[in-house]
Every structure is written in structure tokens, then in C-alpha cells.
Amino acid sequence: MASPSAPAPQSDRAALLKAFDEARTGVRGLVESGVSSVPALFVHPDPYASAPLAPPGVSIPVVDLSLPAPLAAAAAAEAARSWGFFHLVNYHRALGVPEEHPARALAAVRAFNELPAAERAAHYGRAMPGGVSYSSNVDLFRAPAASWRDTIQIAFGPERPDPARIPAVCRDEALEWDAHATAVGRALLGLLSEGLGLGPTRLEEASCFEGKVMVCHYYPVCPEPERTMGLVSHTDPGVLTVLAQDCAGGLQVKQTDDDGASYWVDVKPVPGALVINVGDLLQIMSNDKYKSVDHRVIMNTQKEARVSIAIFFNPGKRGDSVFYGPLPELVSADNPPKYRNFTMSEFLGAFFRRDLSSKALVDHFKL
């Protein structure tokens, strides 16, 4: 695993993937072993060649939750239409979130990932017993190249996780942050619903609030950051993402200007701010009024690992008779539906059959 040689033949690659996964210590384990170069499994050909960086001074919008509700709703809706991403500030004051969060949760996730390898390995696995898993690269065996990160996933809805399955070193903090981020998510769904000209509870009534997954990423220090990725370019499949990140940076959002030119915009950490983004389902439900955009995490050159916690809000009603698609109130003869209806099982099946970088999810449901 320590050799940075050219890509291995498929049979050798499969064996290397299996050996990496069965070591049960993730990318952090590679760093602990003393690798001085990026192993072949993690090498991305020309990882940063897809589009140029944005000119200096370009940044995602900021939405201030302390503004009067109509102004906050208008700002959130404009950001969701034009960027699909925004920073959220003053949510502590507006929603009563304690000032020590989410920093407390981020520190706890870091503490877990920096436990001795044997302690982490006891939690490693791709199944989610009790709604919890710890592994490296959810698409490890499907992606063309692995990315430089390890992940704790906790399913908080529709069914609650078994708290005993969450690693003890970050259990209380994860549960606390879920409660606070849920308040943030509810407020944002209300603002974005109003921004569509609907009542503030419309998206919540569509069960967009009931399915939740917390994804805690740890991006270890990398010996050759230019040869790999933290997270490949992708869109989020759900309705809405609430992201807390530390001060390391590395998140980038793809923006396309009026002339069709695309470039990557650095989402530099803003103290006290969360990062919010529209998911594929909200783009579909809004009938393209809001947009889900590509984003990625590049490897930073700092001497400390990056930590982030994303909470994905998704529909909780998932029966075969429950269909999702453009909201009926947003469809008319002048604005026909751009997507067909589907069940969540069909939607999730399409998501899990692709590798993370595939762009086909929204297109799969277009009319």
C-alpha cells in the first residue's frame, strides 16, 4: 500500500482495495504507517484540471438569520436560486444554539479519528448496525480512485440510531449537535419554502425533515495533496445539507457565469458560520427554481487534518405508494413539470448504483 506506482491492473487493484478495507484503520492508518507518498489506489489523474479557480474576491452568499423573517427568506431563496450554496450566520442567537457548537462536535469527531488504530478498528465496517458505521470511502469499491478521507455515518431518521453504537468519545457531542442542527434545518426549510411562494411548513409537510443522516468526515494530512482528492466533485442527493467545518478549508463550489464559463470558488471557513446547500431532491421538488451544484474537497497543505460534519435532510416517508417530484403548486401550463414522479426506493436505488462523481442522478428523472 505504500508504493505510489502506476495504477495497478484490475485484479491487483481489487486485492489492494480488499487489503486496505480489511486493515480496518482507514486513511488515517496509512498516515500512521508512515507513508511518504500517495498509494496508487488514491491517485486521481489530473484531479484539479476540470475548471479554473474563481477570480480573487468571489465567494458564496451570506444569509443572516437575525434579519426579519421576510428578508431572511428572500436572501435564502436568492442564494438557493443563484448559487445553491450559502453561509448561514447568527443562527446561534436566532435559534438558541449554544455558542460552543458545532466546535464541540467537530473536536469530538477529531478525537475519535485520532484514537489508537486498534480502538478505531473495533468500530470499522460498511454495514450500519444500529444506524451507525465507520469506514473509508462509501463508494470505495465503485469509484475509479479512492479519496483521502475516513467517515462516521449516523442515521438519525426516519428511525433513531442506537446511541450505544456511536463511538463513546463522540457520542454525546454527536447527539447534541443533531438536536441543534435539526433546529437550523427546520428554520431553513421554512425560509426556502416561503421563498418558493408557499407556506413556511410546506417542505416539512412533504416529510423533507424526517430523514436525516449525519456524516462526519476526517481528512488526514496528506503527503502529496496534489495527487488525490478529499472528496470528488459531486452533488448531494437529498433535500438540504447543513455543514459545519473547522478552519482548515478545502471545500470548493462550482459556479457557472452567464456566459457558460465555469470556475471553482473556495468556501473559506467563516468563524461562527454554517455552510448550507441545496440537494438534488430540492432541485427536483422546486422544479428547478433552486439548484443543486457540484462541489468538492481539495486536499489542503496544512499540517493538521480537516474535519467536517454534514447533516443531510431527506424525506422520511418511503413507502411504495408515496411519490416525490415537482411540488404540484409549482407546476402549471406555463411552467410544466421538468421531472417525473418517483418513490424514494427508486431514487435511493439510482443513487447507490453510481459512483459518487456521477452526474446522472437528476438527469435520471428528467422528462
Side-chain angles (χ1 to χ4, degrees):
M1 286 296 300
S3 170
S5 57
Q10 280 303 109
S11 59
D12 292 344
R13 177 178 172 79
L16 290 170
L17 286 170
K18 184 172 183 288
F20 168 74
D21 204 45
E22 290 180 350
R24 303 176 63 86
T25 56
V27 177
R28 169 73 178 175
L30 297 177
V31 175
E32 290 169 326
S33 73
V35 293
S36 58
S37 58
V38 171
L41 291 177
F42 295 84
V43 173
H44 291 244
D46 297 323
Y48 304 116
S50 62
L53 293 178
V58 177
S59 61
I60 65 172
V62 176
V63 174
D64 186 343
L65 211 54
S66 70
L67 291 172
L71 295 179
E78 176 56 28
R81 281 193 296 268
S82 59
W83 279 82
F85 264 81
F86 55 89
H87 276 123
L88 184 73
V89 299
N90 288 324
Y91 61 93
H92 291 97
R93 184 189 320 162
L95 302 174
V97 176
E99 290 290 339
E100 64 267 24
H101 276 289
R104 198 169 121 83
L106 291 165
V109 169
R110 181 183 299 277
F112 168 77
N113 282 278
E114 294 176 0
L115 287 172
E119 293 185 45
R120 299 197 313 277
H123 296 276
Y124 194 95
R126 297 200 171 270
M128 291 189 70
V132 181
S133 73
Y134 159 61
S135 65
S136 184
N137 286 256
V138 66
D139 60 345
L140 180 69
F141 295 96
R142 300 191 304 275
S147 294
W148 201 257
R149 73 180 185 281
D150 300 323
T151 303
I152 302 170
Q153 290 193 84
I154 308 172
F156 277 102
E159 297 180 3
R160 297 290 294 178
D162 176 0
R165 293 282 186 174
I166 304 172
V169 71
C170 58
R171 182 181 302 145
D172 290 346
E173 294 83 356
L175 294 170
E176 291 166 6
W177 179 237
D178 167 63
H180 298 313
T182 294
V184 173
R186 175 176 276 116
L188 286 168
L189 285 177
L191 294 178
L192 291 170
S193 186
E194 290 185 89
L196 292 171
L198 307 174
T201 61
R202 182 62 180 93
L203 289 172
E204 189 170 344
E205 289 167 356
S207 91
C208 293
F209 192 68
E210 297 172 12
K212 285 184 297 177
V213 179
M214 178 184 288
V215 176
C216 309
H217 288 315
Y218 179 86
Y219 303 86
V221 174
C222 184
E224 295 179 302
E226 73 283 357
R227 302 188 72 205
T228 190
M229 298 286 294
L231 195 55
V232 294
S233 177
H234 67 288
T235 58
D236 290 347
V239 175
L240 189 73
T241 304
V242 174
L243 176 77
Q245 61 173 340
D246 66 9
C247 61
L251 176 63
Q252 294 182 331
V253 172
K254 184 179 279 189
Q255 174 73 332
T256 302
D257 63 23
D258 294 338
D259 296 325
S262 296
Y263 46 85
W264 289 104
V265 178
D266 284 318
V267 182
K268 295 180 178 178
V270 173
L274 296 172
V275 178
I276 311 300
N277 67 279
V278 172
D280 294 339
L281 267 172
L282 185 51
Q283 176 174 325
I284 291 170
M285 295 175 77
S286 72
N287 208 32
D288 281 352
K289 289 184 181 295
Y290 296 153
K291 64 180 182 180
S292 175
V293 301
D294 288 312
H295 51 287
R296 67 185 186 182
V297 176
I298 64 171
M299 293 311 304
N300 67 73
T301 57
Q302 299 187 36
K303 301 301 181 184
E304 190 171 76
R306 177 183 189 264
V307 178
S308 68
I309 302 175
I311 296 187
F312 301 100
F313 290 91
N314 308 293
K317 294 178 182 177
R318 300 184 178 183
D320 289 341
S321 62
V322 181
F323 289 87
Y324 295 88
L327 293 171
E329 303 96 312
L330 303 179
V331 173
S332 66
D334 294 329
N335 185 38
K338 297 178 173 62
Y339 303 93
R340 64 177 177 84
N341 290 338
F342 48 85
T343 63
M344 278 304 294
S345 60
E346 183 186 4
F347 183 84
L348 293 172
F351 172 70
F352 285 114
R353 280 193 300 272
R354 62 174 199 153
D355 70 80
L356 191 61
S357 64
S358 170
K359 305 298 188 294
L361 190 58
V362 168
D363 291 342
H364 182 79
F365 299 100
K366 275 189 175 177
L367 291 172

